[in-house]
Amino acid sequence: MNSLLFNRSLGSVTPDTVSRRYTSRLVNALQAAPNVRFDSAPRPTKDVFTSASEAQKPEAWAHKAGVNSLVIDKFEGRFMLSGGADPSIHLWDLESVENTTKKYTYTRAGSVPKATGHKFGITHLSYHPFDNKTFLSSSYDHTLKINTTETLKPSGSFNLESIIYSHAISPIADHLLVACATQHPNIRLVDLRSGANSHILAGHREAVLTVAWSPHESHILASAGADCTIRLWDIRKSASGIGVLDVEDSVGVVGYDGYGTGARHRGRGKAHSAAVNGLVWTEDGRHIVSTGHDYKIRVWDASVGANTLTAFGPVVRNYHLAQLQPLLVPKDIVTPGKDIMFFPNPKEILGFDLFEGKLLKRLKALPVSASSRGAGTTKPRVTTLAWRAHNVQMFSSHSDGTIRAWLPRPPEEAVLDEEEFKEAQAAKGILEVGKKRKRNALDEVFKSLTERPITFG
């Protein structure tokens, strides 16, 4: 780092290069932060965070039934929304704590009232791309709702009469169309301006699991589903489908200019050998990343629809029907040409070089105590990843009801945390053994008294 600063003082490197080198090191230093917790339980005080002693409580659940979705606003990077396997939606203020070096627990800044919220579990949450005070929520109750963070009450609701697995709104368009991936093979387009939801995109043969708008072409939409296909759509055309991606095609539909112009679009082909439940565009719109139940992650050249043949190895696991999106680290904080992707594996988070497929990191959180969880699991499934804008911080939601933070930390601190956890578990085990011995002794005394023979003179 000193040599980099020296070269900067000489003018041989730009300030942007120095900044990217520094933030890249922070990304590579991401580790679990077990001292950061999220608890939705109401507090007796009005503080938005608890003291260090209160943070030691083992019971800290964002949603006791499990967390299905997580999203952070991209304008300020301050407010985070979480949706549970129950109908609850909570709002968290990530700036409520100034000193992040100590142990602390976030408490919810607000919640959507049960009377006006969804009836069943949340499937997907997203902020409006032009207004960070408005967010969308979809649920297993077949509805898509428009909500505001000021009142945390729905301002509009659309019943699509089918389970909505995910939804997406274009980050650049002014048409305000929300694409909804539903249990029905047709993609539903909901117009927030007019309130109409009758327009459909037909082409998939089974349930649609995920949709994503192009970040540079406001009329281009990608979708994927249980029929193993990824389809591209141009919503301006009456016959909206413009092609499918084929895993066997590493050349693509090039056309006469090398970018597909004038070429006949492909109408058949499978992108994965099993259901596809993850789809995300890169920031420049040149590539599409997909994930499927065949335990594969694929990177596609979006201009011609070619499979780039990037291999991510045999460590990927993906078998749940819900949407499972990979997280792409913002390009402006990593070294140019070294894009990083994080994937939510069931029991860990995998960090890859996006275009080389090289495994860079395996992030594992300390397990939750089974006794404190009750019927919960000690190795919770990772359901969603969210990146905090203007920071090098990542958050993950889990099926055991927790939200976990991943912050830049020295590896030695993570090792110390693991040792402290093992020591605490060992001490707890000793106490449990002692309690069990006392119970056994009392049982023996009780049996000796009750089993004593009674004689009559």
Side-chain angles (χ1 to χ4, degrees):
M1 193 66 187
N2 291 333
S3 62
L4 190 63
L5 294 175
F6 178 71
N7 291 332
R8 171 67 189 97
S9 64
L10 295 177
S12 57
V13 296
T14 63
D16 180 67
T17 301
V18 177
S19 175
R20 287 194 174 199
R21 293 276 184 88
Y22 176 70
T23 52
S24 293
R25 292 187 178 186
L26 293 180
V27 172
N28 292 325
L30 285 176
Q31 300 285 345
N35 296 331
V36 181
R37 298 183 179 185
F38 293 81
D39 194 358
S40 62
R43 298 291 178 183
T45 63
K46 296 183 179 180
D47 295 335
V48 293
F49 61 95
T50 65
S51 64
S53 60
E54 292 176 320
Q56 296 294 330
K57 294 175 62 177
E59 298 84 4
W61 315 112
H63 300 263
K64 282 198 171 182
V67 189
N68 285 351
S69 186
L70 205 63
V71 64
I72 302 175
D73 78 277
K74 295 183 179 180
F75 290 93
E76 301 176 357
R78 175 177 178 178
F79 292 104
M80 180 173 69
L81 289 164
S82 62
D86 53 5
S88 61
I89 298 177
H90 298 323
L91 178 69
W92 311 87
D93 186 356
L94 299 180
E95 292 186 0
S96 59
V97 177
E98 295 182 358
N99 187 0
T100 59
T101 60
K102 296 182 179 180
K103 298 179 180 180
Y104 57 94
T105 299
Y106 287 101
T107 58
R108 54 190 167 98
S111 298
V112 174
K114 292 183 178 180
T116 59
H118 290 281
K119 296 180 180 178
F120 302 130
I122 307 300
T123 57
H124 190 204
L125 297 173
S126 66
Y127 272 100
H128 193 286
F130 310 122
D131 183 8
N132 66 339
K133 295 182 180 179
T134 303
F135 67 94
L136 304 174
S137 61
S138 57
S139 168
Y140 289 105
D141 65 2
H142 303 178
T143 62
L144 172 74
K145 293 182 182 291
I146 310 171
N147 310 268
T148 172
T149 57
E150 293 181 337
T151 63
L152 289 173
K153 293 182 179 180
S155 57
S157 180
F158 304 88
N159 187 354
L160 302 188
E161 299 179 350
S162 183
I163 294 176
I164 306 173
Y165 291 112
S166 67
H167 61 267
I169 184 170
S170 174
I172 59 172
D174 57 358
H175 51 57
L176 295 182
L177 291 177
V178 181
C180 297
T182 69
Q183 192 176 23
H184 194 276
N186 295 335
I187 300 169
R188 299 288 292 274
L189 297 180
V190 176
D191 191 339
L192 298 183
R193 184 176 286 113
S194 66
N197 62 356
S198 59
H199 191 58
I200 63 173
L201 301 177
H204 286 282
R205 297 183 178 181
E206 297 183 39
V208 185
L209 300 179
T210 180
V211 288
W213 291 94
S214 167
H216 285 271
E217 301 290 343
S218 61
H219 54 278
I220 298 298
L221 175 72
S223 65
D227 59 357
C228 313
T229 65
I230 298 175
R231 295 182 176 271
L232 299 175
W233 312 85
D234 186 342
I235 63 170
R236 301 173 302 176
K237 300 179 179 180
S238 57
S240 302
I242 58 176
V244 300
L245 302 182
D246 188 359
V247 66
E248 303 293 338
D249 186 2
S250 61
V251 177
V253 184
V254 294
Y256 58 77
D257 61 352
Y259 293 95
T261 305
R264 183 178 180 181
H265 296 294
R266 186 188 304 109
R268 295 182 179 181
K270 290 189 176 182
H272 290 257
S273 59
V276 187
N277 63 340
L279 207 59
V280 61
W281 294 74
T282 56
E283 288 183 24
D284 54 16
R286 295 180 179 179
H287 295 87
I288 300 173
V289 184
S290 65
T291 62
H293 286 188
D294 56 359
Y295 299 170
K296 300 294 183 183
I297 300 176
R298 293 199 167 94
V299 180
W300 307 85
D301 186 336
S303 60
V304 296
N307 181 6
T308 62
L309 303 179
T310 305
F312 293 89
V315 295
V316 176
R317 293 293 180 268
N318 179 4
Y319 42 78
H320 286 271
L321 190 62
Q323 177 182 243
L324 193 67
Q325 295 281 62
L327 173 67
L328 305 184
V329 177
K331 295 177 71 69
D332 59 350
I333 66 171
V334 296
T335 305
K338 295 292 184 181
D339 293 19
I340 297 177
M341 174 191 69
F342 287 104
F343 178 77
N345 237 27
K347 299 176 182 179
E348 61 184 347
I349 299 174
L350 304 176
F352 292 99
D353 184 301
L354 179 60
F355 296 112
E356 294 182 2
K358 181 181 178 181
L359 180 62
L360 304 176
K361 293 183 72 68
R362 302 184 77 155
L363 301 176
K364 295 184 179 181
L366 297 178
V368 178
S369 173
S371 59
S372 65
R373 176 57 181 161
T377 59
T378 57
K379 294 183 178 180
R381 176 172 61 90
V382 186
T383 57
T384 317
L385 299 178
W387 189 267
R388 186 180 181 187
H390 317 301
N391 292 269
V392 183
Q393 297 179 5
M394 182 172 64
F395 296 86
S396 60
S397 61
H398 301 259
S399 60
D400 69 340
T402 61
I403 296 175
R404 305 191 181 192
W406 306 85
L407 309 178
R409 305 173 65 208
E412 294 78 9
E413 291 188 11
V415 174
L416 290 176
D417 289 336
E418 186 174 359
E419 290 178 354
E420 290 178 1
F421 176 80
K422 290 181 179 179
E423 291 176 358
Q425 291 297 100
K428 190 173 184 180
I430 293 172
L431 292 175
E432 290 180 352
V433 170
K435 291 179 180 179
K436 187 175 181 180
R437 288 178 179 174
K438 290 181 180 179
R439 287 196 298 268
N440 292 338
L442 291 174
D443 289 342
E444 290 178 0
V445 172
F446 179 77
K447 288 181 179 179
S448 65
L449 293 174
T450 56
E451 294 177 357
R452 183 175 298 174
I454 299 177
T455 57
F456 297 93

